[in-house]
Amino acid sequence: MKTAELRQKFLQFFESKGHQIVRSSSLVPHDDPTLLFTNAGMNQFKDVFLGFDKRPYNRATTAQKCVRAGGKHNDLENVGYTARHHTFFEMMGNFSFGDYFKHDAIKFAWEFLTSPEWLNLPKEKLLATVYAEDDEAYNIWLNEIGLPAEKIIRIGDNKGERYASDNFWQMGDTGPCGPCTEIFYDHGEHIWGGPPGSAEEDGDRFIEIWNNVFMQFNRDEAGNMNPLPKPSVDTGMGLERMAAVMQHVNSNYEIDLFENLLKAAARETGVAFSIDIPSLKVIADHIRACSFLIADGVMPSNEGRGYVLRRIIRRAVRHGYKLGQKNAFFYKLVPDLVKEMGDAYPELKEKQTQIMEALRGEEARFGETLEKGMGLFNQVWRGMQFLKLESLLPVDGVGEPLKLKTADGIEFTVASRQNADQKMIVVRKQEAGRLNESESFGLAQVLEKSETAPEDRPFAEALEAYVNENIANSKMILSGEHIFKLYDTYGFPYDLTADMARELGIELDEEGFNREMEAQRARARAAQNFKADTQLAYEGQDTEFTGYIERQTEAKILALYKGSEPVEELAEGDSGAVVLDRTPFYAESGGQIGDVGYIFAGGNRFEVRDTQKIKAAVYGQFGIVVSGRLKVGDSITAEIDNDIRNANMRNHSATHLMHQALRDVLGSHVEQKGSLVTAEVTRFDISHPQAVSAEEIAEVERRVNAAILANVEVKAALMSMEDAQKTGAMMLFGEKYGDEVRVLQMGDFSTELCGGTHVSRTGDIGLFKIISEGGIAAGIRRIEAITGLNALKWAQGQERLVRDIIGEVKAQTEKDVLAKIQANAAQSKALEKELAKAKAELAVHAGAKLLDSARDLGAAKLVVAQIDAEAGALRDIVTDLAGRSDNAVILLAAVNDGKASLCAGVSKPLTAKVKAGDLVKFVAEQIGGKGGGRPDLAQAGGTEVDKLPEALDSVADWVSGKLA
């Protein structure tokens, strides 16, 4: 049975049992700050189980997208090395919200698994576990299902404390909890492992395929288990695991879905397909997680969910590099994934282009540093091997030599011998019971086999294998400093370095890495200014917000704070926070900043400089007492600054119109990724893979201003979430919505959920103008716009600028300005060209004198010098010098803007022995660069300018060696 068919059968079965098929929720749980990603089928129903939400159905079934990478639930490091670990997986589930309980849950599971109409699994292959004290579930299995007693295993408290058990589920230390019963499939005696609860339970023979969680109790703070009035059921069946069972394979990576993705990974990395290559499994797994995350709005970044995505992408790219693929390849797997899963998850089809662009961009960024980072890692690894090899080798003639064997079975002994300033390897083959004459080669040649003679390579390979085995068994540690440099300089996440280290048997100095990270964070904290902490201890009544309908309110002071401490009064000059029972002040939320204004108590006055939420429904007015004093219990008048509020409303309403216009112009993939609405500007971050063109910006401006000119009424209405969704209202990033939501509608132009303050009619916004657009992260663009009087002020400033330019370029009218600027630019370019030509001629003339001081190497005249010249002039100088002699070798360097430029030239009669490309590469590698070219002319560059003099000094010996 194919994976897609299995998914559909599960949903159809439970639909036939009265369950509502509910679409998978997003991988980004916007309404649950405790979760990094959706990691279980019950996540979207959490509030239903807790009683905070009610659905129009009491039975549901889902195929839920899940990610376990980062945070508490993290399977990333195991992916590729085990049969069943994934970053992305699908969890099939059926749920009862106070409807059926244990009897039906167990019967449904058994019917679906064993009925000939559905999966028809052999009953003798199945066994069940129950919580040791759950006699009810045990008896259902025994007496109603007919499962033999020996196939029902009681699992007690096996995790160190009461109710801490594999078969007892708890949402937290308090709250809903209850026993669970799991169903296991027996793969057969040919697979190692024992049943659950046995010493061999970690083997792969018995695999959990189903878990019924019975939410039966509410655990209070005293630890008492109080029966829930409406017990519920939460079931999970891993789709990939069940597909492996149905397709008679032992690994999830052998199912049809993964087989096709593995073949695609092999195709794009250029290796022969094999199920036994861990790197192919990593790539096939990671393309699913990355694509689904991007489809759900996550983009690669350096924090939060975006950083987890970046880690997964870079891990996949590194495994491609390990297989020999040095070019971008990962994004090319997206069409293969869409083919496999696009029908079940249409968002993959809809956002295929966006997913590919985001992946390609991240691959390109990492590709810029991947090779250098791998170089550093390999350099450290070679150092470890070198030290270990030195420690393992006995001195020749002292003690017993090592006895090893090549891959072809040739026995040999090995020891070390000091030869001048170099340690040598002494190898003696053993044949026909006697030792032959010894062969020697350098210690480094064991590790750099490219420098080893072909006849010595089998011995070097055998010795390296011996060294690596000893490293794996001796717990050699990669320093925290090196791990941090890979992270900070080359973009290697910690777990990517850990992945590489594990392959070589190296351990990581995690503590040292954390010290380096904390030092970096301390430096960052020292360079930042943070906003006042608004997390104040408050247990009083909620605040009634009146700011939608009034700008001034009579109210009473409920609490006062000085710093973070509650006080009874604030005196003149004191900074603090005021909590009121009613307030017109809007608290910062949904991107709109908090209101400012004043609080009056008779002649006493408090200046409100910011308004923040202390709790979800408690508003704190932050500021300073400018005259008199305030006391808890005072009756006051709260009055906002109308000019600033009006400007905030214009910008916030314009943001809604701009959001819709951007989606209309750029495409439906555009999603809000952040916003900031102030009186001065609206800043809006969107998901979009490339820069927004000038033409697109102009069209967005045209559409927004057209909506403003239409002067339609802005309507706000409270309604249920279900009714709001029927209106087609967009839900905004970062907002948390309750059962009742506020829908804001601007005619046919925009409908969104929003709790902010807005204009009464779109015409109140005035002129709208986008003033900037740019990238802030991979696939994220930031747009800034202004409205009303701010837009007028900006337009007047542009007009003044144009007048100043007209005067500066001496144009007659505005129409002549461009022609004048173009003429001046052309003239400037011509002068620069003449100047460069003159400089080059002077440099060539000065360079010609260098031949007079050339070093005579017998077969060649060597010119090595650092000169004062532009990078582009070096080539002309070297070409001129090489042409003046039949036996010249030239290497010239110049430093400009902190970077070194190199150019090498060799007279053609000498290129058989000395090649300019090899010479320039030799020098460039010493100064942190690379380059190459023809045998007679080559160029390069480098960034480590301080190493240039030493590099130039090394040229003579290198050239002499080539001429010898």
Side-chain angles (χ1 to χ4, degrees):
M1 182 182 293
K2 300 293 186 184
T3 306
E5 182 185 356
L6 176 59
R7 183 192 298 115
Q8 193 59 32
K9 270 187 175 290
F10 183 95
L11 298 175
Q12 289 173 346
F13 172 81
F14 282 100
E15 185 179 37
S16 74
K17 302 298 182 182
H19 291 65
Q20 173 72 40
I21 297 178
V22 180
R23 185 180 176 184
S24 171
S25 64
S26 169
L27 285 170
V28 180
H30 292 293
D31 56 351
D32 189 347
T34 67
L35 283 178
L36 189 66
F37 297 115
T38 299
N39 58 28
M42 64 82 63
N43 290 159
Q44 67 167 309
F45 302 117
K46 182 178 177 181
D47 285 349
V48 182
F49 286 124
L50 291 171
F52 301 147
D53 186 18
K54 185 171 178 60
R55 302 289 175 93
Y57 45 82
N58 53 23
R59 297 182 177 196
T61 184
T62 63
Q64 176 62 51
K65 303 176 293 187
C66 298
V67 162
R68 287 186 180 173
K72 178 181 176 182
H73 303 284
N74 185 9
D75 288 340
L76 185 60
E77 67 178 19
N78 295 315
V79 172
Y81 300 99
T82 69
R84 273 168 287 281
H85 279 101
H86 302 291
T87 51
F88 174 93
F89 61 96
E90 292 179 82
M91 184 60 72
M92 311 303 296
N94 61 285
F95 307 91
S96 165
F97 311 122
D99 185 17
Y100 63 83
F101 201 44
K102 295 182 183 178
H103 287 80
D104 285 341
I106 292 174
K107 287 179 180 179
F108 288 156
W110 191 254
E111 180 182 353
F112 179 69
L113 291 174
T114 64
S115 169
E117 183 183 352
W118 300 102
L119 299 193
N120 198 27
L121 290 179
K123 295 178 182 179
E124 64 274 13
K125 285 279 192 178
L126 302 177
L127 58 85
T129 63
V130 298
Y131 184 55
E133 299 172 26
D134 190 0
D135 293 334
E136 182 182 6
Y138 182 91
N139 289 328
I140 293 171
W141 281 114
L142 182 67
N143 300 322
E144 299 183 32
I145 301 301
L147 200 62
E150 64 270 17
K151 294 243 178 143
I152 310 171
I153 302 172
R154 293 181 184 264
I155 303 293
D157 299 331
N158 57 1
K159 294 184 177 180
E161 60 184 66
R162 183 71 168 132
Y163 299 118
S165 168
D166 288 328
N167 278 68
F168 198 92
W169 177 87
Q170 303 178 73
M171 187 174 285
D173 293 334
T174 61
C177 59
C180 55
T181 180
E182 299 174 330
I183 304 173
F184 286 75
Y185 179 83
D186 181 1
H187 275 294
E189 295 181 355
H190 63 288
I191 303 293
W192 180 84
S198 70
E200 297 82 25
E201 66 178 358
D202 291 334
D204 288 336
R205 175 177 172 180
F206 294 90
I207 300 301
E208 177 199 337
I209 58 173
W210 199 291
N211 186 14
N212 274 312
V213 174
F214 304 125
M215 296 186 191
Q216 190 169 353
F217 305 104
N218 183 34
R219 186 176 190 177
D220 62 26
E221 293 182 355
N224 299 316
M225 293 292 182
N226 305 302
L228 288 170
K230 291 186 177 181
S232 299
V233 175
D234 162 22
T235 285
M237 182 196 86
L239 180 66
E240 294 84 359
R241 287 191 178 198
M242 186 58 78
V245 170
M246 297 304 296
Q247 295 173 27
H248 309 292
V249 294
N250 297 320
S251 167
N252 292 359
Y253 291 96
E254 296 179 69
I255 66 176
D256 61 307
L257 187 155
F258 268 110
E259 182 180 6
N260 294 329
L261 292 178
L262 286 164
K263 288 178 178 177
R267 179 193 71 223
E268 295 302 336
T269 54
V271 300
F273 167 71
S274 170
I275 192 68
D276 298 322
I277 301 177
S279 291
L280 290 182
K281 296 178 186 177
V282 170
I283 294 166
D285 171 90
H286 289 7
I287 193 61
R288 298 207 306 165
C290 296
S291 297
F292 274 99
L293 284 171
I294 294 169
D296 279 348
V298 181
M299 297 298 288
S301 69
N302 283 329
E303 59 185 14
R305 297 181 177 106
Y307 186 60
V308 176
L309 172 60
R310 172 162 285 170
R311 287 162 52 197
I312 300 172
I313 295 172
R314 295 190 172 189
R315 187 171 188 258
V317 173
R318 202 282 298 185
H319 275 275
Y321 186 94
K322 181 182 176 184
L323 295 177
Q325 178 54 274
K326 306 299 171 63
N327 299 316
F329 73 95
F330 193 47
Y331 76 97
K332 297 178 183 178
L333 300 178
V334 175
D336 298 278
L337 176 65
V338 171
K339 184 178 178 181
E340 292 296 323
M341 303 186 71
D343 289 339
Y345 298 98
E347 60 267 32
L348 287 178
K349 289 183 178 179
E350 295 167 6
K351 299 187 177 183
Q352 178 175 333
T353 301
Q354 181 186 354
I355 295 167
M356 293 181 71
E357 288 297 324
L359 291 177
R360 179 159 55 184
E362 182 65 15
E363 278 193 89
R365 275 181 290 277
F366 189 41
E368 294 170 2
T369 59
L370 175 60
E371 191 167 353
K372 288 184 179 180
M374 291 300 300
L376 173 63
F377 182 85
N378 289 331
Q379 181 182 349
V380 175
W381 167 238
R382 287 291 184 240
M384 287 182 171
Q385 289 179 305
F386 193 91
L387 291 172
K388 176 57 67 174
L389 185 57
E390 276 196 312
S391 70
L392 290 173
L393 289 179
V395 176
D396 190 30
V398 180
E400 190 73 19
L402 287 178
K403 294 181 180 180
L404 300 175
K405 186 184 294 186
T406 68
D408 295 332
I410 299 174
E411 295 181 347
F412 66 98
T413 63
V414 60
S416 68
R417 177 190 297 162
Q418 193 69 30
N419 184 13
D421 60 347
Q422 184 180 14
K423 183 164 282 191
M424 303 296 291
I425 303 293
V426 181
V427 169
R428 294 183 177 90
K429 288 188 291 185
Q430 185 175 353
E431 291 179 337
R434 65 184 183 82
L435 292 178
N436 290 345
E437 293 299 320
S438 65
E439 299 178 29
S440 301
F441 46 88
L443 194 64
Q445 289 176 274
V446 174
L447 309 177
E448 299 293 342
K449 288 183 285 296
S450 60
E451 300 178 11
T452 308
E455 62 271 18
D456 294 331
R457 202 162 289 171
F459 306 110
E461 290 172 351
L463 187 52
E464 184 185 23
Y466 177 75
V467 170
N468 292 348
E469 182 181 351
N470 273 271
I471 288 176
N473 293 329
S474 59
K475 294 186 177 180
M476 295 192 78
I477 298 174
L478 183 64
S479 73
E481 183 180 357
H482 281 121
I483 304 167
F484 180 76
K485 186 172 183 179
L486 284 167
Y487 164 82
D488 192 49
T489 305
Y490 301 112
F492 280 45
Y494 178 88
D495 44 26
L496 190 152
T497 303
D499 204 32
M500 297 189 297
R502 178 168 62 173
E503 292 169 0
L504 299 172
I506 308 172
E507 294 190 1
L508 299 189
D509 177 16
E510 185 174 3
E511 185 178 335
F513 171 75
N514 289 335
R515 282 197 302 271
E516 296 285 345
M517 284 293 292
E518 183 53 40
Q520 185 192 54
R521 293 189 189 106
R523 291 190 293 269
R525 284 195 295 267
Q528 292 178 349
N529 293 316
F530 291 93
K531 200 168 189 175
D533 183 8
T534 59
Q535 299 301 311
L536 305 178
Y538 178 82
E539 299 298 334
Q541 72 182 70
D542 291 346
T543 303
E544 178 190 353
F545 176 61
T546 64
Y548 290 137
I549 56 175
E550 58 185 6
R551 306 291 182 91
Q552 180 177 313
T553 301
E554 303 301 318
K556 181 177 288 189
I557 297 177
L558 299 178
L560 294 170
Y561 294 86
K562 186 176 182 180
S564 61
E565 296 298 320
V567 294
E568 287 299 310
E569 70 173 34
L570 289 175
E572 187 170 320
D574 285 346
S575 294
V578 181
V579 179
L580 305 174
D581 62 342
R582 305 173 72 246
T583 183
F585 287 89
Y586 180 80
E588 181 174 329
S589 181
Q592 181 178 331
I593 65 168
D595 277 332
V596 299
Y598 289 93
I599 293 174
F600 301 96
N604 306 296
R605 187 158 57 107
F606 180 87
E607 182 183 351
V608 178
R609 296 178 176 176
D610 190 16
T611 306
Q612 298 281 331
K613 288 184 178 180
I614 294 174
K615 288 188 173 182
V618 180
Y619 290 34
Q621 283 75 198
F622 291 79
I624 187 171
V625 180
V626 293
S627 64
R629 63 184 60 240
L630 295 183
K631 296 181 180 179
V632 173
D634 281 352
S635 295
I636 59 91
T637 300
E639 184 178 324
I640 66 175
D641 186 311
N642 280 303
D643 290 339
I644 292 178
R645 164 68 83 83
N646 289 336
N648 288 343
M649 293 195 309
R650 286 193 291 269
N651 284 339
H652 200 160
S653 297
T655 302
H656 283 228
L657 295 175
M658 177 170 62
H659 188 188
Q660 186 59 53
L662 286 164
R663 287 173 63 88
D664 292 341
V665 174
L666 303 180
S668 60
H669 66 275
V670 168
E671 293 179 355
Q672 180 179 339
K673 293 299 177 184
S675 72
L676 176 66
V677 176
T678 70
E680 292 76 27
V681 67
T682 175
R683 191 181 75 196
F684 197 63
D685 300 339
I686 62 169
S687 55
H688 190 58
Q690 69 255 356
V692 184
S693 69
E695 293 77 13
E696 290 168 333
I697 288 175
E699 178 58 19
V700 170
E701 290 175 335
R702 188 196 68 76
R703 287 171 181 257
V704 173
N705 281 296
I708 292 170
L709 287 172
N711 198 28
V712 298
E713 183 181 1
V714 178
K715 298 178 181 179
L718 293 175
M719 60 184 73
S720 68
M721 175 62 76
E722 184 180 0
D723 289 339
Q725 290 171 335
K726 290 177 182 177
T727 69
M730 279 192 288
M731 297 179 65
L732 297 185
F733 175 83
E735 285 288 306
K736 290 183 172 63
Y737 303 110
D739 294 335
E740 192 175 57
V741 294
R742 187 168 181 258
V743 178
L744 195 83
Q745 189 169 16
M746 301 181 184
D748 296 329
F749 297 104
S750 169
T751 304
E752 296 189 8
L753 304 190
C754 183
T757 60
H758 290 270
V759 297
S760 299
R761 305 188 74 89
T762 57
D764 298 341
I765 297 172
L767 177 63
F768 169 85
K769 186 73 180 75
I770 293 175
I771 57 173
S772 71
E773 186 278 340
I776 60 169
I780 306 294
R781 309 299 298 181
R782 172 165 290 172
I783 297 172
E784 293 188 341
I786 51 178
T787 63
L789 294 176
N790 287 329
L792 175 63
K793 183 179 178 181
W794 178 87
Q796 291 171 337
Q798 295 297 301
E799 188 178 21
R800 284 193 299 273
L801 178 61
V802 171
R803 285 201 302 269
D804 292 343
I805 293 172
I806 289 173
E808 189 68 29
V809 300
K810 296 180 174 57
Q812 298 299 315
T813 66
E814 292 180 15
K815 295 180 180 179
D816 299 330
V817 170
L818 184 58
K820 279 282 189 181
I821 291 175
Q822 290 172 336
N824 288 343
Q827 183 180 8
S828 175
K829 190 174 182 179
L831 290 173
E832 288 175 0
K833 192 173 182 180
E834 289 181 18
L835 179 62
K837 183 180 178 182
K839 283 184 176 180
E841 290 174 351
L842 286 171
V844 168
H845 179 70
K849 296 181 180 180
L850 292 173
L851 277 177
D852 298 337
S853 57
R855 183 173 175 178
D856 191 351
L857 299 180
K861 292 182 178 180
L862 176 65
V863 176
V864 181
Q866 179 179 338
I867 64 174
D868 185 15
E870 297 291 331
L874 284 181
R875 183 184 182 96
D876 294 336
I877 299 171
V878 170
T879 301
D880 178 72
L881 288 176
R884 292 172 181 263
S885 171
D886 291 335
N887 65 339
V889 177
I890 303 137
L891 190 287
L892 298 184
V895 177
N896 295 286
D897 299 324
K899 295 180 181 179
S901 301
L902 305 171
C903 188
V906 178
S907 298
K908 289 190 176 180
L910 289 177
T911 55
K913 291 186 175 182
V914 182
K915 291 179 171 53
D918 294 343
L919 172 56
V920 82
K921 181 181 178 183
F922 168 73
V923 178
E925 287 176 347
Q926 298 180 60
I927 59 172
K930 56 184 178 181
R934 305 195 313 262
D936 61 324
L937 186 67
Q939 291 178 282
T943 56
E944 298 175 13
V945 176
D946 56 316
K947 297 180 180 179
L948 183 59
E950 185 179 349
L952 296 180
D953 288 343
S954 69
V955 171
D957 289 342
W958 187 89
V959 174
S960 296
K962 295 295 181 181
L963 294 171

